[in-house]
Amino acid sequence: MAAPSSVSAAPTASPLFLREHEVRRGVELLFFGYTRLTRAIDDGLAEHGLGRAHHRALYFIARQPDLTISELLKILAITKQSLGRVLTDLAEKALIETRTGVVDRRQKLLRLTAEGVRFEAQLFDALRTSLAAAYAAAGQESVTGFWRVLEGLIPAEDKAMVIALQKDI
Amino acid sequence: MAAPSSVSAAPTASPLFLREHEVRRGVELLFFGYTRLTRAIDDGLAEHGLGRAHHRALYFIARQPDLTISELLKILAITKQSLGRVLTDLAEKALIETRTGVVDRRQKLLRLTAEGVRFEAQLFDALRTSLAAAYAAAGQESVTGFWRVLEGLIPAEDKAMVIALQKDI
DNA sequence: GAAGATGGGGCAGCCATATTGACGTATCTA
DNA sequence: TAGATACGTCAATATGGCTGCCCCATCTTC
C-alpha cells in the first residue's frame, strides 16, 4: 500500500499518470474478486444443471420483472441466439414465463415463476453472504468508494441502463 | 450514494443484515465494471488472433517473470490441459519463452519475450486508460475503498497468492 | 540405489457459451 | 400499404473450459 517514489510532481493533478502499480492492483483485484464471487453460486447452479449464463438472465429478470427480450439483450450484451438458448432452458425448467406485451404485442415480457423466484433468491443468498462479508470487513466508507470506481468503469452509453436497474428497489 | 436510512440501531454491528439493495448494487456494478474493462482489450487481442484466456496468462507472466507452470495454474484456477493450449499458442506466436528451472530442473520458468513485453504493454495501456479514468473520477479515497472491498471478496486461502503478486512492483 | 512424490506434457472426448449471417412471422407506425 | 421493429430460428463455427488416463524427468526420502 506504500506509494512507490514517483517522478510525478503533482499526482492528483495528472491522474492519467497513475503509477502502474495502482492500475495493476485494480486489474488483479477486479479479476480475483469477480471470479471468486461468481464461483460462490456455481454449486447451486450445477444442482439444477444450469450455468452462469442462465444465472445472469435469471438475475436481471428478477431485478426487472416484465423486462423485454431486447432490453435483456442490451444488458447482457450477447446475441439473440445465445440468449435464446438460455431462455429456452429456463422456460423448460419452469423458472421463467413470458407474456405478450400489453402496449406492444410484439414484445414478450419476461418474469420469474414462483419457483424461479425461490431459486434466484437461493442463489442471491450466496452472493449476499460473500459480498456482505466483504462490505462489513471494509466498512461503509469503502463500500461507497467501491461503487464510485466501478461506476466510472461503465461507459457513458451504458450508464443510463445501469442506473435504470438500480432505481427500482 | 447516500446511505439509505436504516432501522438498524448499530449498522456496523450486524453487517449481515445489509439491505438487499446494497448487495444487488455491488453485484451489478461488479458485473458491468468487470465486463467493460475486459472488453477494452478485445480488439487488441483479436488483431493477434488471441482471446482473453491468452491475455490472462500473458498478464500474470508479465507480472511475475520466471513464474512456474504450477504457480500460474494456481493463479488462474483452470486445468493443466486448458492452460497448456493457451501457453502453446503464446509460444508459437513467440510471445513467451520457457527455461528450465535452476533450483528444480523439472520446473519450467515462464517469461515474456521482447515482443511479448511489447504486446502486453500495449494491452495494459488500454486497461490503464479505462481504470485511470475511473480512479480519477472517483478520487483517491474511493480507490482505497474499492481495493478494500475487493480484497474482502478473496477467500483466505487465495489471499496470500494475491498479496505475493503485489509486493513485487 | 530404489521407491515414491512432484512438475510438467499430452491424448481423446465432451460441454458451455459465445459468434455470424440469413431468413420468417407478427405487429406496429407512418 | 410499405417499411421498420420485436422475436424466433436455421446452420455452422470458435473459444475456453472440463474429465480421465497415461507418460517422462527429476527430486526426495528411506
Coordinates of all heavy atoms in Angstrom, one line a residue, chain B residues 57-132:
Chain B
A57 N -3.0 -15.2 -19.1 CA -1.7 -15.9 -18.9 C -0.6 -14.9 -19.1 O 0.3 -14.7 -18.3 CB -1.6 -17.1 -19.9
L58 N -0.7 -14.1 -20.2 CA 0.3 -13.1 -20.6 C 0.5 -12.1 -19.4 O 1.6 -11.8 -19.1 CB -0.2 -12.4 -21.8 CG 0.8 -11.8 -22.8 CD1 1.8 -12.8 -23.3 CD2 0.1 -11.1 -23.9
Y59 N -0.7 -11.7 -18.9 CA -0.6 -10.7 -17.9 C 0.1 -11.2 -16.6 O 1.0 -10.5 -16.1 CB -2.1 -10.4 -17.5 CG -2.1 -9.3 -16.4 CD1 -2.3 -8.0 -16.7 CD2 -2.0 -9.7 -15.0 CE1 -2.3 -7.0 -15.7 CE2 -2.0 -8.7 -14.0 CZ -2.1 -7.4 -14.3 OH -2.1 -6.5 -13.3
F60 N -0.2 -12.4 -16.2 CA 0.5 -12.8 -15.0 C 1.9 -13.2 -15.2 O 2.7 -13.1 -14.2 CB -0.4 -14.0 -14.3 CG -1.6 -13.4 -13.7 CD1 -2.9 -13.7 -14.2 CD2 -1.6 -12.6 -12.6 CE1 -4.0 -13.2 -13.7 CE2 -2.7 -12.1 -12.0 CZ -4.0 -12.4 -12.5
I61 N 2.3 -13.6 -16.4 CA 3.7 -13.9 -16.6 C 4.4 -12.6 -16.7 O 5.6 -12.5 -16.2 CB 3.8 -14.7 -18.0 CG1 3.2 -16.0 -17.9 CG2 5.3 -14.8 -18.3 CD1 3.1 -16.8 -19.2
A62 N 3.8 -11.6 -17.2 CA 4.4 -10.2 -17.2 C 4.7 -9.8 -15.8 O 5.7 -9.1 -15.4 CB 3.6 -9.2 -17.9
R63 N 3.7 -10.1 -15.0 CA 3.7 -9.6 -13.6 C 4.8 -10.3 -12.8 O 5.4 -9.7 -11.8 CB 2.3 -9.9 -13.0 CG 2.0 -9.2 -11.7 CD 1.7 -7.7 -12.0 NE 0.9 -7.2 -10.9 CZ 1.5 -6.4 -9.9 NH1 2.7 -6.1 -10.0 NH2 0.7 -6.0 -9.0
Q64 N 5.0 -11.5 -13.0 CA 5.9 -12.3 -12.2 C 6.8 -13.2 -13.2 O 6.6 -14.4 -13.3 CB 5.2 -13.3 -11.3 CG 4.8 -12.7 -10.0 CD 4.4 -13.8 -9.0 OE1 3.8 -14.8 -9.3 NE2 4.7 -13.5 -7.7
P65 N 7.8 -12.5 -13.7 CA 8.7 -13.3 -14.6 C 9.3 -14.5 -13.9 O 9.5 -14.4 -12.7 CB 9.8 -12.3 -14.9 CG 9.2 -10.9 -14.7 CD 8.2 -11.1 -13.6
D66 N 9.5 -15.5 -14.6 CA 10.1 -16.8 -14.1 C 9.1 -17.5 -13.2 O 9.4 -18.4 -12.4 CB 11.4 -16.6 -13.3 CG 12.5 -16.3 -14.3 OD1 12.4 -16.6 -15.5 OD2 13.6 -15.8 -13.9
L67 N 7.8 -17.2 -13.4 CA 6.7 -18.0 -12.8 C 6.8 -19.4 -13.3 O 7.1 -19.6 -14.5 CB 5.4 -17.3 -13.4 CG 4.1 -17.5 -12.7 CD1 4.2 -16.9 -11.3 CD2 3.0 -16.9 -13.5
T68 N 6.4 -20.3 -12.5 CA 6.4 -21.7 -12.9 C 4.9 -22.0 -13.4 O 4.0 -21.3 -13.1 CB 6.7 -22.7 -11.8 OG1 5.7 -22.7 -10.8 CG2 8.1 -22.4 -11.2
I69 N 4.8 -23.2 -14.1 CA 3.5 -23.6 -14.6 C 2.5 -23.8 -13.4 O 1.4 -23.4 -13.5 CB 3.7 -24.9 -15.4 CG1 4.6 -24.8 -16.5 CG2 2.3 -25.4 -15.8 CD1 4.1 -24.2 -17.7
S70 N 3.0 -24.4 -12.4 CA 2.1 -24.8 -11.3 C 1.6 -23.5 -10.6 O 0.5 -23.4 -10.1 CB 2.7 -25.8 -10.3 OG 3.8 -25.3 -9.7
E71 N 2.5 -22.5 -10.5 CA 2.1 -21.3 -9.8 C 1.1 -20.6 -10.7 O 0.1 -20.1 -10.2 CB 3.3 -20.3 -9.7 CG 4.3 -20.7 -8.5 CD 5.6 -20.0 -8.6 OE1 6.0 -19.5 -9.7 OE2 6.3 -20.0 -7.6
L72 N 1.3 -20.6 -12.0 CA 0.3 -20.0 -12.9 C -1.0 -20.7 -12.8 O -2.1 -20.1 -12.9 CB 0.9 -20.0 -14.3 CG 0.0 -19.2 -15.4 CD1 -0.3 -17.8 -14.9 CD2 0.8 -19.1 -16.7
L73 N -1.0 -22.0 -12.7 CA -2.2 -22.8 -12.6 C -3.0 -22.4 -11.3 O -4.2 -22.3 -11.4 CB -1.9 -24.3 -12.5 CG -1.6 -25.0 -13.9 CD1 -1.1 -26.4 -13.7 CD2 -2.8 -24.9 -14.8
K74 N -2.3 -22.2 -10.3 CA -3.0 -21.8 -9.0 C -3.6 -20.4 -9.2 O -4.8 -20.2 -8.8 CB -2.0 -21.7 -7.9 CG -1.9 -22.9 -7.0 CD -0.9 -22.8 -5.9 CE -0.1 -24.1 -5.7 NZ 1.3 -23.9 -5.4
I75 N -2.9 -19.5 -9.8 CA -3.5 -18.2 -10.0 C -4.7 -18.2 -10.9 O -5.7 -17.6 -10.6 CB -2.4 -17.2 -10.7 CG1 -1.3 -17.0 -9.7 CG2 -3.0 -16.0 -11.2 CD1 -0.1 -16.2 -10.3
L76 N -4.6 -18.9 -12.0 CA -5.8 -18.9 -13.0 C -6.9 -19.8 -12.6 O -8.0 -19.7 -13.0 CB -5.2 -19.2 -14.4 CG -4.2 -18.3 -15.0 CD1 -3.7 -18.8 -16.3 CD2 -4.8 -16.9 -15.1
A77 N -6.5 -20.8 -11.8 CA -7.5 -21.8 -11.3 C -8.2 -22.4 -12.5 O -9.5 -22.5 -12.5 CB -8.5 -21.1 -10.3
I78 N -7.5 -22.9 -13.4 CA -8.0 -23.7 -14.5 C -7.2 -25.0 -14.6 O -6.3 -25.2 -13.8 CB -7.9 -23.0 -15.9 CG1 -6.5 -22.6 -16.2 CG2 -8.8 -21.8 -15.9 CD1 -6.3 -21.9 -17.6
T79 N -7.5 -25.9 -15.5 CA -6.8 -27.2 -15.5 C -5.5 -27.1 -16.4 O -5.4 -26.1 -17.2 CB -7.7 -28.3 -16.1 OG1 -8.1 -27.9 -17.4 CG2 -8.9 -28.5 -15.3
K80 N -4.7 -28.0 -16.2 CA -3.4 -28.1 -16.9 C -3.6 -28.1 -18.4 O -2.9 -27.5 -19.2 CB -2.7 -29.4 -16.5 CG -1.2 -29.2 -16.3 CD -0.5 -30.5 -15.8 CE -1.3 -31.8 -15.7 NZ -0.4 -32.9 -15.5
Q81 N -4.6 -28.9 -18.8 CA -5.0 -29.0 -20.2 C -5.3 -27.7 -20.8 O -4.8 -27.3 -21.9 CB -6.2 -29.9 -20.3 CG -5.9 -31.4 -20.4 CD -5.0 -31.8 -21.5 OE1 -5.0 -31.1 -22.6 NE2 -4.2 -32.7 -21.3
S82 N -6.2 -26.9 -20.1 CA -6.6 -25.7 -20.6 C -5.5 -24.7 -20.7 O -5.3 -24.0 -21.7 CB -7.7 -25.1 -19.7 OG -8.8 -25.9 -19.6
L83 N -4.7 -24.7 -19.7 CA -3.5 -23.8 -19.7 C -2.5 -24.2 -20.8 O -2.0 -23.3 -21.5 CB -2.8 -23.7 -18.3 CG -1.6 -22.8 -18.3 CD1 -2.0 -21.4 -18.6 CD2 -1.0 -22.9 -16.9
G84 N -2.4 -25.5 -21.0 CA -1.4 -26.0 -22.0 C -1.7 -25.4 -23.3 O -0.8 -24.9 -24.0
R85 N -3.0 -25.4 -23.7 CA -3.3 -24.9 -25.0 C -2.9 -23.4 -25.2 O -2.4 -23.0 -26.2 CB -4.8 -25.1 -25.3 CG -5.1 -26.2 -26.3 CD -6.6 -26.4 -26.4 NE -7.1 -26.1 -25.1 CZ -8.4 -26.0 -24.8 NH1 -9.3 -26.1 -25.8 NH2 -8.8 -25.8 -23.6
V86 N -3.3 -22.7 -24.1 CA -3.0 -21.3 -24.1 C -1.5 -21.0 -24.3 O -1.1 -20.2 -25.1 CB -3.6 -20.6 -22.9 CG1 -3.1 -19.2 -22.7 CG2 -5.1 -20.6 -22.9
L87 N -0.7 -21.7 -23.5 CA 0.7 -21.4 -23.5 C 1.3 -21.9 -24.8 O 2.3 -21.2 -25.3 CB 1.4 -22.2 -22.3 CG 1.0 -21.7 -20.9 CD1 1.8 -22.5 -19.9 CD2 1.3 -20.2 -20.8
T88 N 0.8 -22.9 -25.4 CA 1.3 -23.4 -26.7 C 1.1 -22.3 -27.7 O 2.0 -21.9 -28.5 CB 0.6 -24.6 -27.2 OG1 0.8 -25.7 -26.2 CG2 1.0 -25.1 -28.5
D89 N -0.1 -21.7 -27.7 CA -0.4 -20.6 -28.6 C 0.5 -19.4 -28.4 O 1.1 -18.9 -29.4 CB -1.8 -20.1 -28.4 CG -2.9 -21.1 -28.8 OD1 -2.5 -22.1 -29.5 OD2 -4.1 -20.9 -28.5
L90 N 0.7 -19.1 -27.2 CA 1.6 -17.9 -26.9 C 3.0 -18.2 -27.3 O 3.7 -17.3 -27.8 CB 1.5 -17.5 -25.4 CG 0.2 -17.0 -24.9 CD1 0.2 -16.8 -23.4 CD2 -0.1 -15.7 -25.6
A91 N 3.5 -19.4 -27.1 CA 4.9 -19.8 -27.5 C 5.0 -19.7 -29.0 O 6.0 -19.3 -29.6 CB 5.2 -21.1 -26.9
E92 N 4.0 -20.3 -29.7 CA 4.0 -20.3 -31.2 C 4.1 -18.9 -31.8 O 4.7 -18.7 -32.8 CB 2.8 -21.0 -31.7 CG 3.0 -22.5 -31.9 CD 1.7 -23.2 -32.2 OE1 0.7 -22.6 -32.5 OE2 1.7 -24.5 -32.2
K93 N 3.5 -18.0 -31.1 CA 3.5 -16.6 -31.6 C 4.7 -15.8 -31.0 O 4.8 -14.6 -31.1 CB 2.2 -15.9 -31.2 CG 1.0 -16.4 -31.9 CD -0.3 -15.7 -31.7 CE -1.5 -16.3 -32.3 NZ -1.5 -16.2 -33.7
A94 N 5.6 -16.6 -30.4 CA 6.8 -16.0 -29.8 C 6.6 -14.9 -28.9 O 7.3 -13.9 -28.8 CB 7.7 -15.6 -31.0
L95 N 5.5 -15.0 -28.1 CA 5.3 -14.0 -27.0 C 5.8 -14.4 -25.7 O 6.1 -13.6 -24.8 CB 3.8 -13.7 -26.9 CG 3.1 -13.2 -28.2 CD1 1.6 -13.1 -28.1 CD2 3.7 -11.8 -28.5
I96 N 6.0 -15.7 -25.5 CA 6.6 -16.2 -24.2 C 7.7 -17.2 -24.6 O 7.8 -17.8 -25.7 CB 5.6 -16.9 -23.3 CG1 5.0 -18.1 -24.0 CG2 4.5 -16.0 -22.9 CD1 4.1 -19.0 -23.1
E97 N 8.5 -17.4 -23.6 CA 9.6 -18.5 -23.7 C 9.7 -19.1 -22.4 O 9.4 -18.6 -21.3 CB 10.9 -17.9 -24.2 CG 11.5 -16.8 -23.2 CD 12.6 -16.0 -23.8 OE1 13.0 -16.3 -25.0 OE2 13.2 -15.2 -23.1
T98 N 10.3 -20.4 -22.4 CA 10.4 -21.1 -21.1 C 11.9 -21.5 -20.9 O 12.6 -21.7 -21.9 CB 9.6 -22.4 -21.1 OG1 10.0 -23.2 -22.1 CG2 8.1 -22.0 -21.3
R99 N 12.3 -21.5 -19.7 CA 13.6 -22.0 -19.4 C 13.5 -23.1 -18.3 O 12.6 -23.0 -17.5 CB 14.5 -20.9 -18.9 CG 14.9 -20.0 -20.1 CD 15.9 -18.9 -19.7 NE 15.2 -18.0 -18.8 CZ 15.8 -16.9 -18.2 NH1 17.0 -16.7 -18.5 NH2 15.1 -16.1 -17.4
T100 N 14.4 -24.0 -18.3 CA 14.4 -25.0 -17.2 C 14.8 -24.3 -15.9 O 15.7 -23.5 -15.8 CB 15.5 -26.1 -17.6 OG1 15.1 -26.6 -18.8 CG2 15.5 -27.1 -16.5
G101 N 14.1 -24.8 -14.9 CA 14.3 -24.2 -13.5 C 15.7 -24.5 -13.1 O 16.3 -25.5 -13.4
V102 N 16.3 -23.6 -12.3 CA 17.6 -23.7 -11.8 C 17.7 -24.5 -10.5 O 18.5 -25.5 -10.4 CB 18.3 -22.4 -11.6 CG1 18.9 -21.9 -12.9 CG2 17.4 -21.3 -11.0
V103 N 16.8 -24.2 -9.6 CA 16.8 -25.0 -8.3 C 16.1 -26.3 -8.5 O 16.5 -27.3 -7.9 CB 16.2 -24.2 -7.2 CG1 16.4 -22.7 -7.3 CG2 14.7 -24.5 -7.0
D104 N 15.2 -26.4 -9.4 CA 14.5 -27.7 -9.7 C 14.4 -27.8 -11.2 O 13.6 -27.1 -11.8 CB 13.1 -27.7 -9.0 CG 12.4 -29.0 -9.1 OD1 12.7 -29.8 -10.1 OD2 11.6 -29.3 -8.2
R105 N 15.1 -28.7 -11.7 CA 15.1 -28.8 -13.2 C 13.8 -29.4 -13.8 O 13.7 -29.4 -15.0 CB 16.3 -29.7 -13.6 CG 17.7 -29.1 -13.4 CD 18.8 -30.0 -13.6 NE 18.6 -30.8 -14.9 CZ 18.9 -30.3 -16.1 NH1 19.4 -29.1 -16.2 NH2 18.7 -31.1 -17.2
R106 N 12.9 -29.8 -13.0 CA 11.6 -30.3 -13.5 C 10.7 -29.1 -13.9 O 9.9 -29.1 -14.7 CB 10.8 -31.1 -12.5 CG 11.4 -32.4 -12.2 CD 10.7 -33.1 -11.0 NE 10.8 -32.2 -9.8 CZ 10.2 -32.5 -8.7 NH1 9.5 -33.7 -8.5 NH2 10.3 -31.7 -7.6
Q107 N 11.0 -28.0 -13.2 CA 10.2 -26.8 -13.4 C 10.5 -26.1 -14.7 O 11.7 -26.2 -15.2 CB 10.3 -25.8 -12.3 CG 9.9 -26.3 -11.0 CD 10.0 -25.3 -9.8 OE1 11.0 -24.5 -9.9 NE2 9.1 -25.3 -8.9
K108 N 9.5 -25.4 -15.3 CA 9.8 -24.5 -16.4 C 9.4 -23.1 -16.0 O 8.4 -22.8 -15.5 CB 8.8 -24.9 -17.6 CG 9.3 -26.2 -18.3 CD 8.2 -26.6 -19.3 CE 8.6 -26.1 -20.7 NZ 7.6 -26.7 -21.7
L109 N 10.4 -22.2 -16.2 CA 10.2 -20.8 -15.8 C 9.7 -20.1 -17.0 O 10.3 -20.1 -18.1 CB 11.5 -20.3 -15.3 CG 12.2 -21.1 -14.2 CD1 13.5 -20.4 -13.7 CD2 11.2 -21.3 -13.0
L110 N 8.6 -19.4 -16.8 CA 7.9 -18.7 -17.9 C 8.3 -17.2 -17.9 O 8.4 -16.6 -16.9 CB 6.4 -18.8 -17.7 CG 5.8 -20.2 -17.8 CD1 4.4 -20.2 -17.2 CD2 5.7 -20.7 -19.2
R111 N 8.6 -16.7 -19.1 CA 8.9 -15.3 -19.3 C 8.4 -14.8 -20.6 O 8.1 -15.6 -21.5 CB 10.5 -15.2 -19.4 CG 11.2 -14.9 -18.1 CD 12.7 -14.7 -18.4 NE 13.3 -14.4 -17.1 CZ 13.3 -13.2 -16.6 NH1 12.7 -12.1 -17.2 NH2 13.9 -13.0 -15.4
L112 N 8.2 -13.5 -20.7 CA 7.8 -12.9 -21.9 C 9.0 -12.7 -22.8 O 10.1 -12.4 -22.3 CB 7.1 -11.5 -21.7 CG 5.8 -11.5 -20.9 CD1 5.2 -10.1 -21.0 CD2 4.9 -12.6 -21.3
T113 N 8.9 -12.8 -24.1 CA 9.9 -12.4 -25.0 C 9.9 -10.9 -25.1 O 8.9 -10.2 -24.6 CB 9.7 -13.0 -26.4 OG1 8.5 -12.5 -26.9 CG2 9.7 -14.5 -26.3
A114 N 10.8 -10.3 -25.8 CA 10.8 -8.9 -26.0 C 9.5 -8.5 -26.7 O 8.8 -7.5 -26.3 CB 12.0 -8.4 -26.9
E115 N 9.1 -9.3 -27.7 CA 7.8 -9.0 -28.4 C 6.6 -9.2 -27.4 O 5.7 -8.4 -27.5 CB 7.7 -10.0 -29.6 CG 6.3 -9.9 -30.3 CD 6.0 -8.6 -30.9 OE1 6.9 -7.7 -31.0 OE2 4.8 -8.4 -31.3
G116 N 6.7 -10.2 -26.6 CA 5.7 -10.4 -25.6 C 5.5 -9.2 -24.6 O 4.4 -8.7 -24.3
V117 N 6.7 -8.6 -24.2 CA 6.7 -7.5 -23.4 C 6.0 -6.3 -24.1 O 5.2 -5.6 -23.5 CB 8.1 -7.1 -23.0 CG1 8.2 -5.7 -22.3 CG2 8.7 -8.1 -22.1
R118 N 6.3 -6.1 -25.3 CA 5.8 -5.0 -26.1 C 4.3 -5.2 -26.2 O 3.5 -4.2 -26.0 CB 6.4 -5.0 -27.5 CG 6.5 -3.7 -28.2 CD 6.7 -3.8 -29.7 NE 5.8 -4.7 -30.3 CZ 4.5 -4.5 -30.5 NH1 4.0 -3.3 -30.2 NH2 3.7 -5.4 -31.1
F119 N 3.8 -6.4 -26.5 CA 2.4 -6.6 -26.7 C 1.6 -6.5 -25.4 O 0.6 -5.8 -25.4 CB 2.2 -8.0 -27.3 CG 0.8 -8.4 -27.6 CD1 -0.1 -7.5 -28.3 CD2 0.3 -9.6 -27.2 CE1 -1.4 -7.8 -28.5 CE2 -1.1 -10.0 -27.5 CZ -1.9 -9.1 -28.1
E120 N 2.2 -7.1 -24.3 CA 1.5 -6.9 -23.1 C 1.4 -5.5 -22.7 O 0.3 -5.0 -22.1 CB 2.2 -7.7 -22.0 CG 1.4 -8.0 -20.7 CD 1.4 -6.9 -19.7 OE1 2.3 -6.1 -19.7 OE2 0.4 -6.8 -18.9
A121 N 2.4 -4.7 -22.9 CA 2.4 -3.3 -22.5 C 1.3 -2.6 -23.3 O 0.6 -1.7 -22.8 CB 3.8 -2.7 -22.8
Q122 N 1.1 -3.0 -24.6 CA 0.1 -2.3 -25.4 C -1.3 -2.6 -24.9 O -2.1 -1.7 -24.8 CB 0.3 -2.9 -26.8 CG -0.8 -2.4 -27.8 CD -0.9 -3.3 -29.0 OE1 0.2 -3.7 -29.5 NE2 -2.1 -3.5 -29.5
L123 N -1.5 -3.9 -24.5 CA -2.8 -4.2 -23.9 C -3.0 -3.5 -22.6 O -4.1 -3.0 -22.2 CB -2.9 -5.7 -23.7 CG -2.9 -6.6 -25.0 CD1 -2.9 -8.1 -24.6 CD2 -4.1 -6.2 -25.9
F124 N -2.0 -3.5 -21.8 CA -2.1 -2.9 -20.5 C -2.4 -1.4 -20.6 O -3.1 -0.9 -19.7 CB -0.7 -3.1 -19.7 CG -0.8 -2.4 -18.3 CD1 -1.5 -3.0 -17.3 CD2 0.0 -1.3 -18.1 CE1 -1.6 -2.4 -16.1 CE2 -0.1 -0.7 -16.8 CZ -0.9 -1.3 -15.8
D125 N -1.9 -0.8 -21.6 CA -2.2 0.6 -21.8 C -3.7 0.8 -22.0 O -4.2 1.8 -21.4 CB -1.5 1.1 -23.1 CG -0.9 2.4 -22.9 OD1 0.0 2.4 -22.0 OD2 -1.2 3.4 -23.5
A126 N -4.4 -0.1 -22.6 CA -5.9 0.1 -22.7 C -6.5 -0.1 -21.4 O -7.5 0.7 -21.0 CB -6.4 -0.9 -23.7
L127 N -6.0 -1.0 -20.6 CA -6.6 -1.2 -19.3 C -6.3 0.0 -18.4 O -7.2 0.5 -17.7 CB -6.0 -2.4 -18.6 CG -6.2 -3.8 -19.2 CD1 -5.5 -4.9 -18.5 CD2 -7.7 -4.0 -19.3
R128 N -5.1 0.5 -18.5 CA -4.8 1.7 -17.7 C -5.6 2.9 -18.1 O -6.1 3.6 -17.2 CB -3.3 2.1 -17.9 CG -3.0 3.5 -17.3 CD -1.5 3.7 -17.1 NE -0.8 3.3 -18.3 CZ 0.5 2.9 -18.3 NH1 1.1 2.8 -17.2 NH2 1.1 2.6 -19.5
T129 N -5.9 3.1 -19.3 CA -6.7 4.2 -19.7 C -8.1 4.1 -19.1 O -8.6 5.1 -18.5 CB -6.8 4.2 -21.3 OG1 -5.5 4.3 -21.9 CG2 -7.7 5.4 -21.7
S130 N -8.7 3.0 -19.1 CA -10.0 2.8 -18.5 C -10.0 3.0 -17.0 O -10.8 3.7 -16.4 CB -10.6 1.4 -18.8 OG -10.7 1.3 -20.2
L131 N -9.1 2.2 -16.4 CA -9.0 2.2 -14.9 C -8.6 3.6 -14.4 O -9.1 4.1 -13.4 CB -8.1 1.2 -14.4 CG -8.7 0.0 -13.7 CD1 -7.7 -0.8 -13.0 CD2 -9.8 0.4 -12.7
A132 N -7.6 4.2 -15.1 CA -7.2 5.5 -14.6 C -8.3 6.6 -14.6 O -8.4 7.4 -13.7 CB -6.0 6.0 -15.4

